[in-house]
Amino acid sequence: YGVTEDTYEVTEGGYNSNRRTAKRKKRSRQKPGVSPLVYSRFLLENGVFLSLMDMGKDLPEYEEIPVPLRLPENQQRAYDDLEHAFHGIFKDRSREGRKLAQKLLSVSLNLMMAYPDQPYGHEPVLHPVTRDPLVVPQSSGGPDEETEKDRQTLDIIRRKVDCGERVLLYVNWVRLDSRTRLKRFLTDAGVRAEIMEDTVPPRGREEWVANHLRQGMQVMITNPGLVETGLDLNDFTTLIFYDMAFKLFTFRQASRRSWRINQTAPRVEVYILYYRNTMQERAVRLMASKLAVAGVIEGGVLTDEGLAAMSESEDMTSALARELAEGIRHEDAVEDIAASFRKMAVLHPAQERQVQEAECGRKAVPVRVRTETKIQPVPPAEQLSLWELAG
């Protein structure tokens, strides 16, 4: 959508030579970005954008809630050692170093994202040619130990199950033992949990869910890619992303499986768990930025985050790799991430509501109520001026 990448080959003349520098275009390709001119010139006054909220239905509240967590000191030190090791590899600007970094890109990012969730059982990262170990992950935990993310996940599920809700638990990294470990912890806590594997055919997944719900399933653990399209999972009013993948489309589709026109529950909550000072935090921040861009393109409210990131052509994998090569700066950005997701929430306007306590199962659970101000649509002329101010 208006973002291209041109690659040129420059041949310089030799020293004290009359030959001029030659520049030859090698290739040109489209990049996954959107030029702001596309929106302001062609879509702003000539497009009609419809969303679920425009269908005349009373939709429930919808909010995505990021949950920052901290690694234990020993695991944080082990993670920092991994980060510094990969940083040294990516920092090498020699020809051999660039080739090596390119070949290790996927392996390094996957390990940096997965290690906080499973700080044990990882194989050494080997040189692609010599097969010598380059990075050796140190085990700083065990399969029978509950991590901080496990405890937070179980706490959310217990509160929701006690209220009679059902929970959809998303786990992206199927090569880890997170799914089986979480099911074991939930079973020990008296919660009925089931894992929907990819062996269930797409045509039979809706029936699989219905059958297990009739048998008393309270928590369904699955990969978000298995339910991203074609399913209405209205029985699950709380969704938890145990980890984060790199695909924006999958996240958007999977997070809205319960926020449907025929949803009768008053509220749908989506929890996003991540560890601070790790690659997971950077991935969640990038996801929030790209979600804001998607909202602007689809006719949502203009925000500074959406305008600033609209023309970014870098995908999440490249952005995370660049962050790893330059060295991750652990600035305090928890409030920024939470604020970004809060701007995209769908909350019913309310004036001076009081916080109430509702009887929920065996205990009283406080009901969070916010006072929201309705945002009026911005006239086209003012929107154009915003684009001009944004440069």
Side-chain angles (χ1 to χ4, degrees), residues 211-362:
N211 291 336
H212 283 79
L213 286 174
R214 284 193 294 267
Q215 297 171 11
M217 179 176 63
Q218 297 170 304
V219 178
M220 185 173 80
I221 306 172
T222 187
N223 186 296
L226 300 181
V227 297
E228 61 182 346
T229 56
L231 288 178
D232 287 347
L233 302 175
N234 291 337
D235 294 285
F236 303 92
T237 51
T238 297
L239 292 76
I240 302 175
F241 281 86
Y242 185 84
D243 50 27
M244 180 70 67
F246 302 138
K247 294 182 179 180
L248 175 66
F249 175 81
T250 300
F251 176 82
R252 294 190 70 198
Q253 293 293 320
S255 63
R256 288 161 173 78
R257 287 303 89 201
S258 301
W259 195 60
R260 321 300 294 168
I261 291 178
N262 55 350
Q263 176 62 265
T264 58
R267 180 179 174 85
V268 174
E269 291 183 346
V270 179
Y271 291 89
I272 305 166
L273 279 60
Y274 67 93
Y275 284 109
R276 296 188 59 187
N277 300 332
T278 68
M279 191 65 72
Q280 293 183 3
E281 181 180 28
R282 176 62 177 165
V284 173
R285 193 182 310 136
L286 283 173
M287 186 66 73
S289 175
K290 291 186 177 296
L291 285 171
V293 174
V296 171
I297 293 300
E298 294 173 358
V301 179
L302 292 172
T303 63
D304 50 353
E305 294 92 345
L307 289 171
M310 178 172 287
S311 59
E312 289 289 337
S313 61
E314 203 171 28
D315 58 18
M316 286 190 62
T317 304
S318 301
L320 291 174
R322 176 172 52 82
E323 191 80 11
L324 181 61
E326 296 176 356
I328 300 176
R329 296 176 295 275
H330 297 319
E331 67 272 12
D332 189 2
V334 178
E335 291 299 328
D336 295 339
I337 295 177
S340 298
F341 279 102
R342 195 174 299 118
K343 289 179 182 179
M344 295 179 285
V346 178
L347 302 175
H348 295 160
Q351 297 295 333
E352 297 181 357
R353 292 186 185 177
Q354 300 296 324
V355 177
Q356 304 173 356
E357 287 194 351
E359 269 309 311
C360 208
R362 293 169 294 178

Side-chain angles (χ1 to χ4, degrees), residues 39 106 110 113 127 196 254 279 316 330 355-356:
Y39 188 83
S106 177
N110 288 339
M113 290 287 289
H127 192 285
M196 186 173 74
M279 191 65 72
M316 286 190 62
H330 297 319
V355 177
Q356 304 173 356

Side-chain angles (χ1 to χ4, degrees), residues 10 15-16 43 52 60 63 66 68 75 85 125 140 183 202 257 265 330:
V10 178
Y15 178 73
N16 196 21
L43 298 180
L52 287 177
E63 186 173 7
Q75 294 181 11
V125 179
S140 57
K183 181 180 179 180
R257 287 303 89 201
H330 297 319

